[in-house]
Amino acid sequence: MKFSQMPYERVDFNKVEEEFTQLMKEFKEARNGEEQFAVHRKYYELRDRVDTLMTIAHIRHDVNTADEFYSAEQDYYDEESPRYSNMVINYEKLLYESPYRNVLEDKIGLVAFKNMELSQKSMQEKLIPLVQEENALTTAYEKIPASAEFDWDGEKVNISRLKAYLKNPDRNVRRKAWEKFSAFFKAHEEELDDIYDKLVKNRTRQAKELGYENYVELGYYRMNRNCYTREQVEAFRDQVKKDFVPFVEKLHDRRRERLGLDKLSFIDEGVYFKEGNPNPVGTPEEILEAGQRMYGQLSPETKEFFDFMMENELFDVLGRNNKRVGGYMTYLPVYRSPFIFANFNGTSADVDVITHECGHAFQGYLSGMDEIREHGDITMETAECHSMSMEFFTEKWMDWFFGDKADAYREMHFEDAMMFIPYGCMVDEFQHIVYANPDLTPAQRKEAWSRLEKEYKPHLDYEGDEFFGKGGYWQQQHHIYSFPFYYIDYVIAQTVAFEYKLWMDEDFEAAWKSYLKLCRLSAADFFNNMIKEVGLKLPFEEGCLKEMAGKLEKKLTKEA
């Protein structure tokens, strides 16, 4: 069904609670594992219906945050979703403690039961008021950048469109855009500090209510870290500092020489060529059409997927005022439909939507065919493996998007992916510092960010910028507000994507076969096991980053 035709009505959670009560009664009365699984299928139907309606409301709110009706719906779900989450956890507790658990484990897998355990550790009914407040605070944050409006040569532009000017080939234009970008966040600094301070204290209270020392442990449970630990993440970040940052700093120096500069400034971040970064040719509609042809050639599976997306209007990618910033893929289970949300702005990021978000959506499309819903409950590092690897698998078709600038795009994309690793770790370590020390003042948090920038991005020079130069850059990173501890998943996944990149350059078909297997496995197994099963090396292994840096540097030298 086309997205515009999908009906919507507000979910009545009193009725949903009655349905859960009935399901739990039937589950307890079931006489064997098969009967319990039959009840569990009814649970799938209930979840599909409720989740689909909530997702429709969420999308329609995001495409226009000023829409009064869907803004009210978003506020309603911010208020009611914690209650709904608690209903799910109470039901899942019956599965977890079932006398026929061995039968259910055979049906839905061990991963699902581990995730149920983590859910029980991360939510109790007494937390509902705090989670409601947390939801309202994150929505309040998201509305600030979404409401931004800048005067650019007499035209009103939003943040997504302003970001195109941050990478303009003319340094004077870039400086002007960065000044506007910085000034916006400076103007909202007090409000942003207040929201984040409330979020940190709220999440810390939730953790203490559940008996944890701070939010770090609770945050890991909520991120479903079901097969690796905080200590492994810390060791991974240490590898990045020791073995990857020096390599990436060489790349920045190479970029400096290419730009013809004596010294890099923050206004040069993300700029790779003196004549400007390669931008896609053609209209947004032509980009989507090129994407359809590309996925038609990549594989029969990707052709079926993208044709389905186009036929059912499952893209909203044009940048507009009052549209939420950023991009994501979400899923509408009743219709077995992924949905891609983005903000095209005429830069290469538009094509990244057709590769990165489609990596997510392709996996969602495949897992939607699996009758076991829990197999679709992938952890985020696994999800980002699908998206970041797809960026590389589609590279050979970039001529269709960039014309004679395709090679420049491939070079930029490769370098940008490598340069992301330190930044992603920095975001993660910052959050560990904040939540381990919840009483830090806003100024102390900014000092911590500035200190980390010197460790992870030593080339960075803010030239005394009044906001970013004083440790404020993190406040434009919405994951830090809305999705605590998410960001390291991108970094873990990027190392996996590099393995696929190196593999596909040697044997594309073998690498694609492995990737397709990874997508189909979804959450049928743990991340650590799946990575090995599809023939890749686990990023947490000691020396992985040193070996990866060596291979990537060798590849760059060979191509130079």
Side-chain angles (χ1 to χ4, degrees):
M1 179 181 288
K2 296 183 191 306
F3 180 72
S4 60
Q5 297 172 351
M6 292 179 186
Y8 171 74
E9 63 178 352
R10 177 180 281 192
V11 176
D12 183 338
F13 285 100
N14 290 327
K15 291 183 178 178
V16 171
E17 190 167 28
E18 291 174 5
E19 291 183 71
F20 264 105
T21 300
Q22 180 61 30
L23 277 179
M24 292 170 72
K25 179 176 181 293
E26 292 179 22
F27 193 90
K28 290 174 185 175
E29 292 173 351
R31 294 164 295 181
N32 54 56
E34 290 294 338
E35 288 187 6
Q36 284 191 336
F37 186 65
V39 175
H40 194 55
R41 287 185 180 279
K42 295 182 182 179
Y43 163 79
Y44 287 159
E45 293 175 5
L46 173 58
R47 287 292 309 273
D48 284 358
R49 174 164 42 86
V50 174
D51 292 352
T52 296
L53 290 171
M54 290 175 67
T55 301
I56 289 172
H58 176 72
I59 294 168
R60 291 179 180 166
H61 165 261
D62 284 356
V63 300
N64 181 8
T65 59
D67 183 299
E68 292 183 5
F69 176 81
Y70 283 108
S71 185
E73 296 306 280
Q74 182 67 42
D75 291 343
Y76 172 73
Y77 292 121
D78 282 349
E79 184 78 14
E80 292 290 339
S81 61
R83 178 183 167 200
Y84 174 51
S85 297
N86 200 57
M87 296 176 203
V88 171
I89 289 171
N90 288 337
Y91 169 81
E92 287 181 343
K93 191 174 182 182
L94 293 182
L95 269 78
Y96 192 78
E97 297 174 350
S98 168
Y100 313 112
R101 178 165 158 171
N102 61 326
V103 176
L104 296 172
E105 284 181 351
D106 287 341
K107 296 283 189 184
I108 66 177
L110 293 173
V111 177
F113 282 90
K114 180 62 179 178
N115 291 345
M116 289 176 208
E117 176 189 328
L118 298 182
S119 293
Q120 290 168 38
K121 289 180 175 180
S122 67
M123 184 63 191
Q124 290 181 16
E125 189 169 0
K126 62 182 178 180
L127 294 188
I128 288 177
L130 284 171
V131 179
Q132 289 171 331
E133 180 187 48
E134 179 188 13
N135 289 344
L137 287 167
T138 57
T139 296
Y141 168 77
E142 296 287 358
K143 286 184 177 180
I144 292 173
S147 69
E149 192 173 73
F150 304 90
D151 179 32
W152 192 270
D153 294 339
E155 182 186 5
K156 299 295 184 184
V157 300
N158 64 4
I159 277 185
S160 296
R161 292 178 65 194
L162 182 76
K163 283 184 176 180
Y165 295 108
L166 298 180
K167 298 179 181 180
N168 191 279
D170 186 331
R171 292 189 91 221
N172 292 325
V173 172
R174 293 207 295 273
R175 188 174 298 281
K176 176 183 172 183
W178 275 103
E179 286 172 356
K180 288 181 179 291
F181 193 49
S182 175
F184 173 81
F185 283 95
K186 178 64 179 173
H188 291 273
E189 182 176 19
E190 189 174 325
E191 186 179 2
L192 292 167
D193 282 336
D194 181 59
I195 290 173
Y196 194 61
D197 201 59
K198 288 176 179 175
L199 279 169
V200 171
K201 287 177 170 52
N202 173 292
R203 289 163 178 158
T204 300
R205 283 180 60 198
Q206 291 185 51
K208 290 187 178 297
E209 285 284 337
L210 296 180
Y212 306 126
E213 181 182 357
N214 55 48
Y215 184 73
V216 177
E217 186 175 2
L218 176 56
Y220 269 56
Y221 291 147
R222 288 192 172 165
M223 283 303 299
N224 268 355
R225 305 271 191 253
N226 58 24
C227 63
Y228 56 88
T229 65
R230 172 182 176 178
E231 290 71 28
Q232 285 177 288
V233 171
E234 288 175 354
F236 177 79
R237 291 199 313 259
D238 287 343
Q239 281 194 68
V240 169
K241 283 184 189 177
K242 180 164 61 87
D243 299 319
F244 215 80
V245 168
F247 162 60
V248 168
E249 285 301 299
K250 291 180 189 176
L251 296 182
H252 282 297
D253 198 54
R254 186 169 103 159
R255 185 170 63 86
R256 177 192 62 76
E257 291 178 353
R258 193 190 298 140
L259 294 174
L261 300 172
D262 293 329
K263 189 176 185 345
L264 287 171
S265 161
F266 78 109
I267 69 168
D268 305 311
E269 286 294 286
V271 181
Y272 290 86
F273 301 98
K274 194 171 184 177
E275 65 276 16
N277 292 350
N279 290 324
V281 294
T283 64
E285 291 76 18
E286 287 169 336
I287 289 173
L288 288 169
E289 288 169 8
Q292 189 164 19
R293 286 188 288 125
M294 175 179 73
Y295 283 111
Q297 287 194 9
L298 178 55
S299 75
E301 294 87 355
T302 53
K303 173 177 169 47
E304 179 185 307
F305 147 72
F306 205 90
D307 288 350
F308 176 83
M309 296 286 289
M310 292 290 283
E311 181 183 342
N312 290 287
E313 301 171 352
L314 297 169
F315 290 95
D316 190 304
V317 297
L318 298 180
R320 297 184 296 274
N321 289 339
N322 293 315
K323 187 176 182 180
R324 176 184 159 171
V325 300
Y328 58 77
M329 186 284 291
T330 189
Y331 191 74
L332 300 152
V334 165
Y335 305 104
R336 301 289 188 269
S337 296
F339 186 94
I340 290 177
F341 171 96
N343 283 271
F344 276 14
N345 62 3
T347 70
S348 62
D350 299 353
V351 177
D352 295 340
V353 170
I354 304 301
T355 59
H356 181 98
E357 298 302 341
C358 281
H360 286 309
F362 176 59
Q363 183 277 331
Y365 181 76
L366 291 178
S367 66
M369 301 175 188
D370 191 329
E371 66 172 11
I372 304 302
R373 294 288 188 273
E374 287 81 3
H375 289 176
D377 294 335
I378 52 177
T379 45
M380 291 301 100
E381 78 289 311
T382 303
E384 297 305 338
C385 287
H386 305 139
S387 58
M388 291 174 144
S389 299
M390 183 65 89
E391 293 178 29
F392 288 129
F393 278 110
T394 52
E395 274 191 333
K396 62 183 179 180
W397 285 276
M398 288 302 105
D399 300 72
W400 293 356
F401 300 93
F402 294 96
D404 59 5
K405 299 288 186 182
D407 285 340
Y409 169 78
R410 283 185 272 261
E411 183 177 4
M412 176 185 74
H413 175 251
F414 193 33
E415 287 188 12
D416 189 63
M418 291 181 278
M419 291 173 182
F420 168 76
I421 297 285
Y423 175 74
C425 286
M426 182 169 67
V427 170
D428 185 66
E429 186 169 348
F430 174 73
Q431 294 181 91
H432 279 79
I433 291 169
V434 167
Y435 287 108
N437 303 277
D439 293 324
L440 291 178
T441 65
Q444 287 172 326
R445 291 184 191 121
K446 293 186 176 77
E447 287 170 9
W449 180 265
S450 290
R451 185 173 67 252
L452 291 173
E453 283 183 322
K454 290 178 176 65
E455 293 178 28
Y456 284 104
K457 302 188 74 172
H459 70 279
L460 198 55
D461 180 3
Y462 283 113
E463 301 179 333
D465 180 87
E466 192 177 356
F467 183 73
F468 295 137
K470 295 180 180 178
Y473 186 81
W474 63 271
Q475 295 194 298
Q476 61 83 48
Q477 188 64 63
H478 78 106
H479 300 76
I480 292 176
Y481 283 80
S482 303
F483 306 105
F485 296 113
Y486 187 150
Y487 224 66
I488 196 65
D489 299 88
Y490 289 116
V491 186
I492 294 167
Q494 188 66 76
T495 61
V496 172
F498 283 141
E499 286 199 70
Y500 272 131
K501 168 64 175 168
L502 294 167
W503 189 358
M504 72 181 71
D505 286 349
E506 297 296 324
D507 188 340
F508 188 92
E509 291 305 318
W512 177 254
K513 185 177 179 181
S514 166
Y515 173 80
L516 200 55
K517 182 177 181 180
L518 182 65
C519 288
R520 284 182 166 141
L521 280 169
S522 297
D525 202 347
F526 295 99
F527 171 75
N528 289 357
N529 295 340
M530 288 192 295
I531 291 300
K532 293 177 180 178
E533 186 175 341
V534 299
L536 301 172
K537 181 175 285 190
L538 194 64
F540 301 118
E541 292 180 14
E542 181 62 35
C544 176
L545 271 295
K546 184 175 183 178
E547 180 183 347
M548 181 66 68
K551 288 180 177 179
L552 294 173
E553 189 165 16
K554 185 177 179 181
K555 180 174 178 58
L556 285 170
T557 303
K558 184 179 177 182
E559 292 179 351

